[in-house]
Amino acid sequence: MKKKNDALIVIRLFVYTFFCVLILSSCKKSEEPVDYTTIKTEGQMDAELTAPPMVPKPIGKRAAMKLKVNMEIKEQEGTMTDGVKYTYWTFGGSVPGSFIRTRVGDEVEFHLKNHPDNKLPHNIDLHAVTGPGGGATSSLVAPGHEKVFSFKVINPGLYVYHCATAPVGMHIANGMYGLILVEPEGGLPPVDKEYYVMQGDFYTQGEYGAKGLQPFDMNKAIKETPDYVVFNGKVGSMTNGNELTAKVGETVRLFVGNGGPNLVSSFHVIGEIFDNVHVEGGAMMNKNVQTTLIPAGGSAIVDFKVETPGNFILVDHSIFRAFNKGALGILKVEGAENKNIYSGTIQEGIYLPEGGTIQKMPEEKATTTAVPKRTLADKIKIGKEIFGTTCFACHQSEGQGIPGAFPPLAKSDYLNADSKRAIKTILHGLSGEITVNGKKFNSVMPAQNLSDDEIANVMTYIYSNWGNNKTEVTPEMVKAQR
Ligand SMILES: [Cu+2]
């Protein structure tokens, strides 16, 4: 009897030890960091490169390999916003430059080509590179030449690359930046949609909206006073038919970068909360984030599930940049409403604390002082200034408005049909549903605290432009509607 018990105990002990050793050894295995500096590559392929807002296909489970990147630098004219041109310097023909997608352990063979039509030498500094200048010291390339260098990516994360040729600030300010992703072993968790968004600040000799080809302004760049702060190289890169899209129930991942050269970005999506944020593009995960800070020369990976349909607006929450300098994009989500998560307006009532729904700025200005006689050209010139400081924030620089929010003043049938009604709109404000060029708007325009002369000038400017009917509005006409 006793002998039998002893034997049992010995067997049990043996089994326990076996399992303990098994568990310990497996724990040890998963904790041991993989050394990606020595990981072997298997095979070779050309890297897929994409222009924003697209990103290359996910890496998934593929083994580390030799990845050939063919990148061509092009100096080319592009559109900053309607009527405004800019000479961009680009990696791969887009601003930001082509997105490069790698996995940890890949050996990248980088072919940097400088197009023969270009005027300047350039190079590339990739923040994903461990080596002098991030590659810049090996990659300076003259127009009509090609430089090849190679590096191994050993830290997973989302990294900025940029040109580092003197004057560095000028090369970056002209658009020479982009993102390179290094996926971790096994890839990032799969999502339904992935997009590439990168902010940049631009410095032009003319003010925001000033027409024509606008040269770079070094003084403004040094003072850090940009005229444009934009996503993906231009105003409206993700609006007016270029929206990012997703369907209700999908998960969306944004690879967000900031090329600077100067500003940091307070990246926010109006109406969404980031479920996950790879802080600064690294391994640390934050959850349930409203606004994530993206330094100049830095990045973040954010993802979120879209539960309700609608337009979700990407902004730099330093908010004048969004509404007055261009840092605004739209993610358009389509699908069925989910009243559980967002009800929409349940009831609309009227609330009249001061007897009217129109908000007024405190009145400081004398509204009807004697004004000199003005020529039509004078009125248009003064009117343009008033428009640029007062109306354009909502109605936009070319009077094109914002669909669903601010009606257009360009070719506006509402405006052209009745100048008295238009004068009243500016004097007293406007609320309730109106139809402009077949589209319904139901919002509030605040009364504008302007003098008769100022209203006459701004209206004359609007009527003289953008295909409107050239009505000349006088201060007397405005006075009659007060
Ligand atoms: Cu350059």
Side-chain angles (χ1 to χ4, degrees):
M1 194 61 179
K2 184 147 189 294
K3 266 226 163 102
K4 210 176 167 196
N5 269 346
D6 280 353
L8 256 174
I9 286 167
V10 168
I11 290 170
R12 275 188 187 148
L13 260 174
F14 183 78
V15 169
Y16 286 152
T17 335
F18 178 77
F19 276 109
C20 283
V21 167
L22 199 79
I23 286 164
L24 274 176
S25 69
S26 73
C27 281
K28 194 157 172 270
K29 206 182 252 164
S30 67
E31 268 171 20
E32 204 171 81
V34 180
D35 183 0
Y36 289 108
T37 57
T38 53
I39 192 174
K40 289 268 177 307
T41 57
E42 294 169 25
Q44 170 175 343
M45 67 184 266
D46 285 347
E48 180 191 358
L49 301 179
T50 59
M54 306 323 286
V55 292
K57 283 183 292 299
I59 300 286
K61 298 215 175 336
R62 83 153 163 79
M65 51 190 339
K66 192 166 149 189
L67 200 62
K68 208 170 141 192
V69 173
N70 276 302
M71 178 89 78
E72 187 186 37
I73 296 167
K74 288 183 205 151
E75 299 166 5
Q76 62 191 29
E77 198 177 294
T79 302
M80 181 67 74
T81 184
D82 290 342
V84 182
K85 301 269 175 215
Y86 193 80
T87 304
Y88 294 94
W89 299 350
T90 73
F91 284 110
S94 61
V95 176
S98 310
F99 195 102
I100 309 167
R101 192 161 193 159
T102 69
R103 59 147 283 167
V104 72
D106 277 350
E107 191 186 308
V108 180
E109 186 180 281
F110 209 104
H111 293 242
L112 188 65
K113 304 175 169 96
N114 194 345
H115 194 280
D117 292 344
N118 291 346
K119 297 193 173 58
L120 293 158
H122 300 280
N123 63 6
I124 192 165
D125 167 350
L126 301 113
H127 293 178
V129 169
T130 309
T137 49
S138 323
S139 59
L140 187 69
V141 56
H145 288 78
E146 173 180 346
K147 273 276 169 73
V148 183
F149 63 107
S150 80
F151 57 91
K152 199 169 180 70
V153 283
I154 53 178
N155 300 81
L158 180 62
Y159 298 91
V160 168
Y161 65 77
H162 61 88
C163 182
T165 307
V168 178
M170 181 178 179
H171 284 250
I172 296 178
N174 284 338
M176 298 198 79
Y177 46 78
L179 292 178
I180 173 169
L181 173 67
V182 183
E183 291 206 46
E185 183 80 57
L188 290 167
V191 290
D192 298 306
K193 293 276 160 62
E194 290 185 323
Y195 293 110
Y196 174 18
V197 176
M198 199 162 182
Q199 184 169 319
D201 26 300
F202 286 86
Y203 304 81
T204 53
Q205 249 142 53
E207 299 302 309
Y208 179 97
K211 294 278 164 297
L213 179 65
Q214 288 294 329
F216 167 70
D217 189 318
M218 189 67 159
N219 285 324
K220 286 183 183 174
I222 292 169
K223 288 201 201 110
E224 306 189 12
T225 53
D227 301 282
Y228 297 89
V229 182
V230 297
F231 295 130
N232 293 352
K234 58 186 281 202
V235 179
S237 62
M238 291 175 282
T239 60
N240 286 332
N242 300 319
E243 291 88 353
L244 307 183
T245 57
K247 295 198 185 68
V248 167
E250 285 186 327
T251 43
V252 180
R253 175 179 289 136
L254 304 177
F255 295 102
V256 193
N258 184 6
N262 287 318
L263 303 186
V264 303
S265 173
S266 301
F267 187 71
H268 176 77
V269 177
I270 300 176
E272 262 302 340
I273 296 141
F274 305 138
D275 297 333
N276 300 297
V277 175
H278 279 264
V279 179
E280 294 166 5
M284 189 166 106
M285 289 291 268
N286 198 354
K287 292 192 176 290
N288 304 326
V289 176
Q290 57 190 308
T291 301
T292 191
L293 196 65
I294 307 181
S299 72
I301 308 174
V302 306
D303 67 68
F304 50 92
K305 185 170 175 193
V306 286
E307 283 97 353
T308 57
N311 282 345
F312 296 85
I313 303 181
L314 285 60
V315 294
D316 179 340
H317 214 297
S318 291
I319 208 72
F320 277 98
R321 297 178 190 165
F323 292 107
N324 302 73
K325 294 185 173 178
L328 185 150
I330 293 177
L331 168 68
K332 191 171 164 184
V333 179
E334 287 177 325
E337 291 201 51
N338 186 343
K339 298 279 187 194
N340 220 1
I341 289 172
Y342 185 72
S343 72
T345 306
I346 294 174
Q347 192 188 345
E348 190 164 311
I350 292 173
Y351 170 63
L352 302 174
E354 281 143 24
T357 51
I358 304 299
Q359 300 163 15
K360 264 196 183 159
M361 298 297 282
E363 280 192 44
E364 301 152 354
K365 252 175 224 161
T367 46
T368 46
T369 41
V371 287
K373 269 248 156 296
R374 302 193 193 279
T375 64
L376 178 63
D378 277 349
K379 290 170 88 170
I380 293 176
K381 187 162 171 277
I382 300 168
K384 182 176 181 181
E385 280 163 23
I386 298 170
F387 184 84
T389 51
T390 316
C391 324
F392 101 108
C394 298
H395 292 288
Q396 304 298 291
S397 60
E398 294 303 297
Q400 73 271 35
I402 295 180
F406 303 113
L409 300 176
K411 288 204 195 89
S412 158
D413 55 2
Y414 187 95
L415 173 78
N416 289 307
D418 187 344
S419 63
K420 282 185 189 156
R421 180 176 65 183
I423 293 169
K424 279 192 193 138
T425 300
I426 298 158
L427 274 175
H428 308 300
L430 182 67
S431 61
E433 189 176 286
I434 59 169
T435 304
V436 182
N437 299 344
K439 301 245 159 63
K440 287 195 171 32
F441 293 88
N442 191 351
S443 182
V444 177
M445 163 151 159
Q448 301 294 307
N449 184 28
L450 299 171
S451 70
D452 293 351
D453 182 45
E454 287 168 323
I455 292 179
N457 294 335
V458 74
M459 295 212 58
T460 303
Y461 166 71
I462 293 167
Y463 274 121
S464 310
N465 280 286
W466 315 317
N468 289 329
N469 69 8
K470 309 224 180 291
T471 306
E472 187 176 343
V473 178
T474 63
E476 292 71 35
M477 286 161 73
V478 178
K479 197 171 172 198
Q481 304 304 325
R482 268 200 191 270

